[in-house]
Amino acid sequence: MSPTTPATDGFTMPPEWAPHERTWMAWPRPNPTFTDERELAEARRAWGAVARAVRRHEPVTLVVAPGDAEGARALVGAEVDIVERELDDAWMRDIGPTFLTDGRGTLAAVDWTFNGWGGQEWARWENDSKIARHVSDLAGSRTYSTRLVNEGGALHVDGEGTVLLTDTVQLGEGRNPGWTREQVEAEVHAHLGTAKAIWLPYGLAGDYGTYGTQGHVDIVAAFARPGQVMVHAQPDPAHPDHERCRTIAALLRAATDARGRRLEVVEIPAPTVLEEDGEWVDYSYINHYLCNDGVVLCSFDDPRDAEAAEIFRNLFPERTVTLVDARTIFAGGGGIHCITQQQPKVWP
Protein backbone atom coordinates (compact mmCIF):
# COMPACT_ATOMS: atom_id res chain seq x y z
CA MET A 1 0.00 0.00 0.00
CA SER A 2 1.32 3.46 -0.89
CA PRO A 3 2.02 5.71 2.11
CA THR A 4 -0.63 8.32 2.73
CA THR A 5 0.03 12.04 2.49
CA PRO A 6 -1.70 14.93 4.23
CA ALA A 7 -3.71 15.65 1.08
CA THR A 8 -4.92 12.07 0.69
CA ASP A 9 -5.88 12.10 4.38
CA GLY A 10 -7.93 15.25 3.88
CA PHE A 11 -5.54 17.81 5.41
CA THR A 12 -4.80 21.27 4.03
CA MET A 13 -2.85 24.27 5.22
CA PRO A 14 -5.23 27.04 6.36
CA PRO A 15 -4.37 30.61 5.38
CA GLU A 16 -2.69 32.73 8.01
CA TRP A 17 -5.84 34.81 8.52
CA ALA A 18 -7.79 31.76 9.73
CA PRO A 19 -8.28 31.59 13.54
CA HIS A 20 -5.23 30.49 15.54
CA GLU A 21 -4.94 28.31 18.61
CA ARG A 22 -1.56 29.87 19.40
CA THR A 23 1.73 31.17 18.02
CA TRP A 24 5.06 29.36 18.37
CA MET A 25 8.41 31.16 18.61
CA ALA A 26 12.03 30.24 19.40
CA TRP A 27 14.47 32.17 21.59
CA PRO A 28 17.80 33.47 20.23
CA ARG A 29 20.92 31.81 21.58
CA PRO A 30 24.65 32.20 20.86
CA ASN A 31 25.37 31.17 17.25
CA PRO A 32 26.89 32.66 14.08
CA THR A 33 23.77 34.77 13.44
CA PHE A 34 24.33 36.75 16.64
CA THR A 35 28.06 37.20 16.78
CA ASP A 36 28.59 38.74 20.23
CA GLU A 37 26.83 39.36 23.54
CA ARG A 38 25.59 42.80 22.47
CA GLU A 39 23.96 41.48 19.29
CA LEU A 40 22.44 38.57 21.19
CA ALA A 41 21.00 40.88 23.85
CA GLU A 42 19.53 43.18 21.17
CA ALA A 43 18.01 40.19 19.36
CA ARG A 44 16.43 38.90 22.54
CA ARG A 45 14.86 42.28 23.23
CA ALA A 46 13.48 42.37 19.67
CA TRP A 47 12.10 38.81 19.87
CA GLY A 48 10.59 39.66 23.25
CA ALA A 49 8.81 42.71 21.83
CA VAL A 50 7.25 40.56 19.09
CA ALA A 51 6.18 37.88 21.58
CA ARG A 52 4.48 40.49 23.78
CA ALA A 53 2.74 42.08 20.78
CA VAL A 54 1.38 38.74 19.57
CA ARG A 55 0.33 37.72 23.10
CA ARG A 56 -2.16 40.60 23.18
CA HIS A 57 -4.15 38.65 20.59
CA GLU A 58 -3.50 34.95 21.24
CA PRO A 59 -1.45 32.51 23.34
CA VAL A 60 2.27 32.28 22.60
CA THR A 61 4.59 29.36 23.32
CA LEU A 62 8.31 30.15 23.30
CA VAL A 63 10.84 27.35 22.79
CA VAL A 64 14.08 28.11 24.63
CA ALA A 65 17.35 26.24 24.98
CA PRO A 66 17.92 24.56 28.37
CA GLY A 67 19.01 27.16 30.87
CA ASP A 68 17.52 30.14 29.01
CA ALA A 69 14.04 30.11 30.53
CA GLU A 70 14.68 32.60 33.33
CA GLY A 71 16.26 35.20 31.06
CA ALA A 72 13.54 34.78 28.47
CA ARG A 73 10.81 35.14 31.08
CA ALA A 74 12.19 38.52 32.12
CA LEU A 75 11.79 39.84 28.55
CA VAL A 76 8.58 38.19 27.35
CA GLY A 77 6.49 38.48 30.50
CA ALA A 78 4.50 36.04 32.60
CA GLU A 79 1.75 35.37 30.04
CA VAL A 80 4.00 33.68 27.47
CA ASP A 81 4.36 29.90 27.86
CA ILE A 82 7.92 28.58 27.82
CA VAL A 83 9.21 25.09 26.99
CA GLU A 84 12.81 23.92 26.84
CA ARG A 85 14.32 22.11 23.86
CA GLU A 86 17.80 22.15 22.35
CA LEU A 87 18.10 24.92 19.72
CA ASP A 88 20.63 26.19 17.19
CA ASP A 89 18.90 29.37 15.98
CA ALA A 90 15.62 31.24 16.41
CA TRP A 91 13.67 31.30 13.12
CA MET A 92 10.56 29.33 14.06
CA ARG A 93 8.86 29.97 10.72
CA ASP A 94 11.57 27.89 9.07
CA ILE A 95 12.54 25.31 11.67
CA GLY A 96 9.05 24.72 13.02
CA PRO A 97 6.27 22.61 11.50
CA THR A 98 3.73 23.78 8.94
CA PHE A 99 0.39 23.06 10.57
CA LEU A 100 -2.61 21.59 8.77
CA THR A 101 -6.26 20.87 9.56
CA ASP A 102 -8.83 18.49 8.08
CA GLY A 103 -12.01 20.42 8.89
CA ARG A 104 -13.10 17.63 11.24
CA GLY A 105 -11.30 18.69 14.41
CA THR A 106 -7.91 17.09 13.71
CA LEU A 107 -4.55 18.87 13.65
CA ALA A 108 -1.57 17.68 11.62
CA ALA A 109 1.84 19.09 10.73
CA VAL A 110 4.46 18.87 8.00
CA ASP A 111 8.04 18.26 9.06
CA TRP A 112 10.02 19.54 6.06
CA THR A 113 13.64 18.50 5.77
CA PHE A 114 15.68 21.41 7.13
CA ASN A 115 19.34 21.85 6.17
CA GLY A 116 20.27 25.36 7.22
CA TRP A 117 18.73 27.25 4.28
CA GLY A 118 20.53 25.22 1.65
CA GLY A 119 23.48 24.06 3.74
CA GLN A 120 24.97 27.52 4.17
CA GLU A 121 28.49 27.49 5.59
CA TRP A 122 27.64 29.50 8.71
CA ALA A 123 24.44 27.63 9.59
CA ARG A 124 24.04 25.03 12.34
CA TRP A 125 21.00 22.75 12.28
CA GLU A 126 21.62 19.55 14.23
CA ASN A 127 19.06 20.64 16.82
CA ASP A 128 16.89 22.87 14.64
CA SER A 129 16.20 19.99 12.25
CA LYS A 130 14.34 18.29 15.12
CA ILE A 131 12.27 21.28 16.28
CA ALA A 132 9.36 20.71 13.90
CA ARG A 133 8.80 17.25 15.35
CA HIS A 134 9.15 18.57 18.92
CA VAL A 135 6.61 21.35 18.35
CA SER A 136 4.21 19.03 16.56
CA ASP A 137 4.37 16.60 19.48
CA LEU A 138 3.84 19.41 21.99
CA ALA A 139 0.80 20.56 20.00
CA GLY A 140 -0.58 17.01 19.93
CA SER A 141 -0.68 16.86 16.15
CA ARG A 142 -0.06 14.05 13.71
CA THR A 143 3.25 14.57 11.88
CA TYR A 144 4.00 13.94 8.21
CA SER A 145 7.66 13.98 7.19
CA THR A 146 8.96 14.69 3.70
CA ARG A 147 12.39 14.54 2.12
CA LEU A 148 11.74 17.86 0.36
CA VAL A 149 14.11 20.50 1.75
CA ASN A 150 11.90 23.48 2.46
CA GLU A 151 11.06 26.10 5.07
CA GLY A 152 7.88 27.78 6.23
CA GLY A 153 9.07 31.18 4.99
CA ALA A 154 9.47 29.74 1.51
CA LEU A 155 5.74 29.34 0.88
CA HIS A 156 2.49 31.24 1.23
CA VAL A 157 -1.04 29.90 0.68
CA ASP A 158 -4.41 31.50 -0.02
CA GLY A 159 -6.43 28.74 1.68
CA GLU A 160 -8.19 27.91 -1.59
CA GLY A 161 -5.59 25.79 -3.33
CA THR A 162 -2.88 28.27 -4.37
CA VAL A 163 0.70 28.39 -3.08
CA LEU A 164 3.51 30.85 -3.82
CA LEU A 165 7.04 29.42 -4.27
CA THR A 166 10.43 30.71 -5.48
CA ASP A 167 12.74 29.22 -8.12
CA THR A 168 15.90 29.96 -6.14
CA VAL A 169 14.60 28.27 -2.99
CA GLN A 170 12.79 24.98 -3.69
CA LEU A 171 14.74 24.48 -6.94
CA GLY A 172 18.05 25.73 -5.56
CA GLU A 173 20.93 23.26 -5.70
CA GLY A 174 21.64 23.66 -1.99
CA ARG A 175 18.19 22.34 -1.12
CA ASN A 176 16.81 19.94 -3.70
CA PRO A 177 19.43 19.12 -6.35
CA GLY A 178 18.05 16.98 -9.13
CA TRP A 179 14.40 17.73 -8.40
CA THR A 180 12.31 19.00 -11.29
CA ARG A 181 9.71 21.73 -10.94
CA GLU A 182 7.01 19.10 -11.41
CA GLN A 183 8.43 16.92 -8.63
CA VAL A 184 8.62 19.85 -6.21
CA GLU A 185 5.06 20.90 -7.01
CA ALA A 186 3.76 17.37 -6.53
CA GLU A 187 5.43 17.08 -3.11
CA VAL A 188 4.25 20.52 -2.00
CA HIS A 189 0.66 19.87 -3.12
CA ALA A 190 0.68 16.45 -1.42
CA HIS A 191 1.70 18.04 1.89
CA LEU A 192 -0.25 21.31 1.81
CA GLY A 193 -3.38 20.15 0.03
CA THR A 194 -2.83 22.81 -2.65
CA ALA A 195 -3.47 22.41 -6.36
CA LYS A 196 -1.63 25.27 -8.12
CA ALA A 197 1.81 26.78 -7.57
CA ILE A 198 2.75 30.27 -8.70
CA TRP A 199 6.53 30.53 -9.00
CA LEU A 200 8.46 33.73 -8.45
CA PRO A 201 11.85 33.85 -10.21
CA TYR A 202 13.72 35.22 -7.18
CA GLY A 203 13.37 37.05 -3.89
CA LEU A 204 14.74 40.43 -2.79
CA ALA A 205 18.38 41.25 -3.53
CA GLY A 206 19.37 41.55 0.13
CA ASP A 207 18.09 38.03 0.80
CA TYR A 208 21.10 36.63 -1.06
CA GLY A 209 23.61 38.06 1.42
CA THR A 210 25.49 36.31 4.21
CA TYR A 211 22.48 35.43 6.36
CA GLY A 212 19.93 35.41 3.53
CA THR A 213 17.54 32.59 2.69
CA GLN A 214 18.19 32.76 -1.07
CA GLY A 215 14.76 34.12 -1.89
CA HIS A 216 12.04 33.39 0.65
CA VAL A 217 8.65 34.43 -0.64
CA ASP A 218 7.39 35.80 2.69
CA ILE A 219 9.50 38.93 2.36
CA VAL A 220 8.32 39.80 -1.16
CA ALA A 221 4.72 38.57 -1.58
CA ALA A 222 1.85 37.39 0.62
CA PHE A 223 -1.85 36.76 0.12
CA ALA A 224 -4.15 39.15 1.96
CA ARG A 225 -7.19 37.08 1.02
CA PRO A 226 -8.10 34.72 -1.82
CA GLY A 227 -7.57 36.52 -5.11
CA GLN A 228 -5.57 39.38 -3.57
CA VAL A 229 -1.80 39.40 -3.06
CA MET A 230 0.45 42.02 -1.46
CA VAL A 231 3.79 42.64 -3.16
CA HIS A 232 6.89 44.49 -2.03
CA ALA A 233 7.58 47.56 -4.19
CA GLN A 234 10.86 49.47 -4.29
CA PRO A 235 10.15 52.96 -5.67
CA ASP A 236 13.83 53.99 -5.88
CA PRO A 237 15.50 52.99 -9.20
CA ALA A 238 18.90 53.03 -7.47
CA HIS A 239 18.02 49.87 -5.53
CA PRO A 240 18.29 46.51 -7.37
CA ASP A 241 14.87 45.54 -5.99
CA HIS A 242 13.26 48.26 -8.13
CA GLU A 243 13.34 46.09 -11.27
CA ARG A 244 12.99 42.83 -9.38
CA CYS A 245 9.76 43.97 -7.78
CA ARG A 246 8.36 45.34 -11.03
CA THR A 247 8.97 41.93 -12.63
CA ILE A 248 7.37 40.06 -9.74
CA ALA A 249 4.33 42.35 -9.64
CA ALA A 250 3.82 41.96 -13.39
CA LEU A 251 4.12 38.18 -13.10
CA LEU A 252 1.49 38.06 -10.36
CA ARG A 253 -0.88 40.38 -12.23
CA ALA A 254 -0.73 37.99 -15.17
CA ALA A 255 -1.28 34.92 -13.00
CA THR A 256 -4.47 33.12 -12.08
CA ASP A 257 -5.05 31.20 -8.88
CA ALA A 258 -6.29 27.65 -8.33
CA ARG A 259 -9.87 28.79 -8.94
CA GLY A 260 -9.04 30.59 -12.15
CA ARG A 261 -9.20 34.12 -10.75
CA ARG A 262 -6.85 36.81 -12.02
CA LEU A 263 -4.94 38.11 -9.01
CA GLU A 264 -5.39 41.62 -7.68
CA VAL A 265 -1.96 42.97 -6.74
CA VAL A 266 -1.52 45.49 -3.92
CA GLU A 267 1.94 47.07 -3.92
CA ILE A 268 3.43 47.97 -0.53
CA PRO A 269 6.23 50.58 -0.89
CA ALA A 270 9.53 49.73 0.78
CA PRO A 271 11.01 51.93 3.52
CA THR A 272 13.03 54.88 2.23
CA VAL A 273 16.37 53.59 3.54
CA LEU A 274 18.32 51.78 0.82
CA GLU A 275 21.58 50.65 2.47
CA GLU A 276 22.86 49.64 5.88
CA ASP A 277 26.60 49.17 6.55
CA GLY A 278 27.29 49.36 2.82
CA GLU A 279 24.85 46.62 1.82
CA TRP A 280 21.43 46.82 0.17
CA VAL A 281 18.68 46.31 2.73
CA ASP A 282 15.69 44.05 2.21
CA TYR A 283 13.51 45.86 4.76
CA SER A 284 9.95 44.86 3.91
CA TYR A 285 6.49 45.39 5.34
CA ILE A 286 5.36 42.21 3.57
CA ASN A 287 7.05 40.23 6.35
CA HIS A 288 4.20 40.89 8.78
CA TYR A 289 2.31 38.42 10.98
CA LEU A 290 -1.45 37.97 11.17
CA CYS A 291 -2.71 36.83 14.57
CA ASN A 292 -6.21 36.68 16.00
CA ASP A 293 -7.75 40.14 15.47
CA GLY A 294 -4.31 41.63 14.93
CA VAL A 295 -1.51 42.46 12.52
CA VAL A 296 2.02 42.68 13.91
CA LEU A 297 3.78 44.85 11.35
CA CYS A 298 7.50 45.48 10.91
CA SER A 299 8.59 49.08 11.48
CA PHE A 300 11.95 50.65 10.68
CA ASP A 301 11.82 54.16 12.19
CA ASP A 302 11.10 55.25 8.62
CA PRO A 303 8.72 57.81 7.10
CA ARG A 304 6.92 55.01 5.26
CA ASP A 305 6.03 53.14 8.46
CA ALA A 306 2.85 55.17 8.85
CA GLU A 307 1.94 54.73 5.18
CA ALA A 308 2.35 50.95 5.43
CA ALA A 309 0.29 50.81 8.63
CA GLU A 310 -2.55 52.67 6.91
CA ILE A 311 -2.47 50.27 3.95
CA PHE A 312 -2.69 47.32 6.33
CA ARG A 313 -5.56 48.93 8.25
CA ASN A 314 -7.46 49.26 4.98
CA LEU A 315 -6.65 45.68 3.97
CA PHE A 316 -7.57 44.27 7.40
CA PRO A 317 -10.13 46.72 8.86
CA GLU A 318 -11.26 44.21 11.48
CA ARG A 319 -7.74 43.85 12.93
CA THR A 320 -5.61 46.03 15.18
CA VAL A 321 -2.29 46.96 13.54
CA THR A 322 0.70 47.01 15.92
CA LEU A 323 4.06 48.31 14.74
CA VAL A 324 7.20 46.65 16.19
CA ASP A 325 10.73 47.76 15.32
CA ALA A 326 12.18 44.96 13.19
CA ARG A 327 15.60 46.35 12.25
CA THR A 328 17.45 44.09 14.69
CA ILE A 329 15.55 41.06 13.39
CA PHE A 330 16.37 41.95 9.77
CA ALA A 331 20.04 42.33 10.71
CA GLY A 332 19.95 38.63 11.64
CA GLY A 333 18.40 37.60 8.32
CA GLY A 334 14.62 37.87 8.61
CA GLY A 335 11.60 39.70 9.96
CA ILE A 336 8.58 39.29 12.19
CA HIS A 337 6.97 36.63 10.01
CA CYS A 338 10.22 34.67 10.07
CA ILE A 339 10.24 34.30 13.86
CA THR A 340 6.58 33.29 14.29
CA GLN A 341 4.61 30.18 13.33
CA GLN A 342 0.86 29.87 13.63
CA GLN A 343 -0.98 26.84 14.98
CA PRO A 344 -4.49 26.97 13.52
CA LYS A 345 -7.54 26.37 15.62
CA VAL A 346 -9.37 23.12 14.90
CA TRP A 347 -13.12 22.83 15.10
CA PRO A 348 -14.89 19.66 16.30
Side-chain angles (χ1 to χ4, degrees), residues 3-332:
T4 61
T5 67
T8 59
D9 288 340
F11 289 99
T12 61
M13 180 183 177
E16 195 166 304
W17 53 81
H20 297 179
E21 182 68 31
R22 69 177 54 248
T23 292
W24 292 84
M25 297 180 64
W27 194 239
R29 64 180 311 276
N31 62 50
T33 307
F34 313 111
T35 56
D36 56 38
E37 291 186 5
R38 179 188 60 81
E39 286 188 359
L40 180 60
E42 289 178 351
R44 286 174 166 173
R45 286 193 292 271
W47 261 249
V50 172
R52 295 193 305 273
V54 174
R55 184 61 187 87
R56 297 177 194 139
H57 301 278
E58 63 188 65
V60 174
T61 297
L62 182 68
V63 180
V64 306
D68 283 347
E70 183 177 352
R73 173 66 67 208
L75 289 172
V76 301
E79 293 187 340
V80 171
D81 298 323
I82 292 178
V83 296
E84 291 190 355
R85 294 292 186 278
E86 294 288 349
L87 283 169
D88 296 304
D89 218 317
W91 308 96
M92 184 58 83
R93 176 67 48 178
D94 296 340
I95 65 177
T98 296
F99 283 106
L100 317 168
T101 62
D102 65 355
R104 301 187 299 272
T106 306
L107 184 70
V110 182
D111 177 11
W112 309 102
T113 295
F114 180 74
N115 74 344
W117 301 278
Q120 297 197 50
E121 183 178 353
W122 57 267
R124 308 288 183 268
W125 61 90
E126 179 183 357
N127 297 309
D128 283 357
S129 64
K130 303 170 186 174
I131 289 296
R133 174 72 64 166
H134 288 321
V135 169
S136 179
D137 289 346
L138 288 165
S141 64
R142 177 177 179 179
T143 307
Y144 294 85
S145 296
T146 168
R147 63 190 181 93
L148 183 73
V149 178
N150 195 30
E151 303 95 33
L155 57 91
H156 207 276
V157 300
D158 68 350
E160 294 189 355
T162 313
V163 59
L164 301 176
L165 304 172
T166 313
D167 286 346
T168 56
V169 177
Q170 286 86 6
L171 294 175
E173 290 188 2
R175 288 179 170 91
N176 299 296
W179 286 61
T180 66
R181 186 184 301 269
E182 291 72 24
Q183 288 172 321
V184 169
E185 286 191 14
E187 194 73 0
V188 168
H189 294 331
H191 285 80
L192 299 182
T194 47
K196 179 170 184 176
I198 299 175
W199 290 84
L200 307 186
Y202 35 62
L204 300 185
D207 200 19
Y208 295 85
T210 301
Y211 297 121
T213 67
Q214 312 302 306
H216 270 190
V217 72
D218 70 350
I219 201 170
V220 64
F223 287 108
R225 58 183 50 84
Q228 185 182 64
V229 62
M230 299 174 285
V231 179
H232 183 76
Q234 175 51 260
D236 196 321
H239 196 295
D241 285 336
H242 178 70
E243 288 301 325
R244 282 174 175 255
C245 293
R246 291 181 63 183
T247 297
I248 290 169
L251 182 155
L252 289 168
R253 285 192 177 96
T256 55
D257 63 16
R259 299 200 176 185
R261 291 172 295 216
R262 184 65 61 89
L263 295 177
E264 175 193 354
V265 173
V266 179
E267 296 191 22
I268 313 291
T272 59
V273 63
L274 301 181
E275 295 180 74
E276 187 70 33
D277 296 328
E279 296 185 357
W280 298 113
V281 297
D282 56 359
Y283 291 169
S284 172
Y285 300 109
I286 298 296
N287 201 265
H288 64 287
Y289 182 59
L290 297 180
C291 44
N292 292 339
D293 302 320
V295 180
V296 183
L297 183 63
C298 297
S299 68
F300 305 96
D301 191 24
D302 191 272
R304 290 209 178 106
D305 290 352
E307 179 182 347
E310 188 60 25
I311 293 173
F312 274 83
R313 290 188 187 101
N314 290 331
L315 287 171
F316 304 100
E318 73 286 1
R319 296 175 183 266
T320 300
V321 175
T322 302
L323 288 159
V324 177
D325 193 325
R327 287 172 293 178
T328 296
I329 306 173
F330 271 80

